[in-house]
Amino acid sequence: MPIITPVTKILGVRVPIIQGGMQWVGVPKLAAAVSEAGGLGILTALTQPSPDALRAAIRETRKLTAKPIGVNITLLPSINPPDYEGYARAAVEEGVRIFETAGNNPGPLIKYFKSKGCIVVHKCTTVRHAKSAEKLGVDILSIDGFECAGHPGEDDIGGLVLLARAIKELKVPFIASGGIADARGLAAALALGASGINMGTRFMCTVESPIHQNIKDKIVASTERDTVHIFRTLHNTARVFKNKVSMEVVAIEKRGNAKFEDIRDLVSGARGRLVYEKGDPDIGVWSAGITIGLINDIPTCEELLRRFERETEEIVGGLNKVVFAGESGESCPVSRRAKL
């Protein structure tokens, strides 16, 4: 049975699940598979070397699915920033109408997308930033908890508290991001007020994911203790897989007064990309959320989302078995108590 929420209505999808915009992972094959399965597949703009390359990726994805797709544009702290405007313009001109934004100062980008009639999903790690994005006119907010892969912000607040805060303070629909890899996570997010979820690490470990089979197998074999934070001392915290390279970075930071130049070669994007291409989990740093402790198989995207639909319905239906005491002290099932 379809799960209908404000997010499914806004995005035009069957399942309220968005595939995160992951560097080197959000490519046509995966994005199309997620969209075909009923969720929203996301192409990662900065995975492509140029706006024209993004155009080609969008066209390739369109050959694989006629269902809605989105494009992620993450604004990174950089001395020589990418051509964000060029990527945005290329995607809009190619007919994309759903965008995921994240990072610093998204105002100009959001303004541009809204002027073109686009839907904007903006990712935030704090409620205060979400409220600022809300004022900019975003359609959906993605509330990113401390459990996530990549950059969780500097406040170290988990999704349980962030979502409970969000439902009290936000006016637009929001999705839960970080820490979710199964139907229990989706059911919990819905109970906390979210209208859907965003998943990254879980989609890395699917048949259609472009990463090397060795890395998928490594994710399956790992536990929730196999990630670590780097860039802590640089105030740009990132959660990555715990391997030789990431632990070397942590060791350098612990010495004190570390500068980015001291770890630049270790954390280069080129080395991270080789992890996915060559299948060596220790050749560079690569993002992974603590949800690796919940992942124990490598399904197709279709199998995964069908499982989410089926199991979420079972979990929510099972809550009817929860019993409260009535006013007289007798047991009262949730389903009956709701009518009292």
Side-chain angles (χ1 to χ4, degrees), residues 52-100:
D52 282 341
L54 177 60
R55 287 181 187 276
I58 292 169
R59 292 172 186 175
E60 182 180 346
T61 308
R62 292 288 191 211
K63 292 178 182 178
L64 300 172
T65 183
K67 295 182 178 179
I69 61 169
V71 167
N72 164 279
I73 299 182
T74 298
L75 300 158
L76 305 171
S78 174
I79 296 175
N80 299 304
D83 182 8
Y84 297 121
E85 292 183 8
Y87 282 108
R89 186 169 56 255
V92 169
E93 290 175 356
E94 288 298 320
V96 174
R97 288 296 177 264
I98 303 174
F99 290 87
E100 179 188 56

Side-chain angles (χ1 to χ4, degrees), residues 180-204:
I180 301 173
D182 59 20
R184 291 196 178 278
L186 174 54
L190 295 174
L192 283 163
S195 292
I197 59 173
N198 173 292
M199 297 194 301
T201 306
R202 173 68 270 198
F203 280 121
M204 288 172 62

Side-chain angles (χ1 to χ4, degrees), residues 282-304:
D282 286 310
I283 202 171
V285 296
W286 51 286
S287 292
I290 60 174
T291 55
I292 56 175
L294 300 174
I295 298 171
N296 53 24
D297 65 351
I298 309 171
T300 65
C301 291
E302 176 72 21
E303 291 168 344
L304 181 64

Side-chain angles (χ1 to χ4, degrees), residues 48 83 86 93 96 142 216 245 276 278 312 317 319 322:
Q48 303 302 325
D83 182 8
E93 290 175 356
V96 174
S142 180
K216 297 179 187 180
V245 180
Y276 299 144
K278 303 296 184 182
T312 301
L319 293 176
V322 176

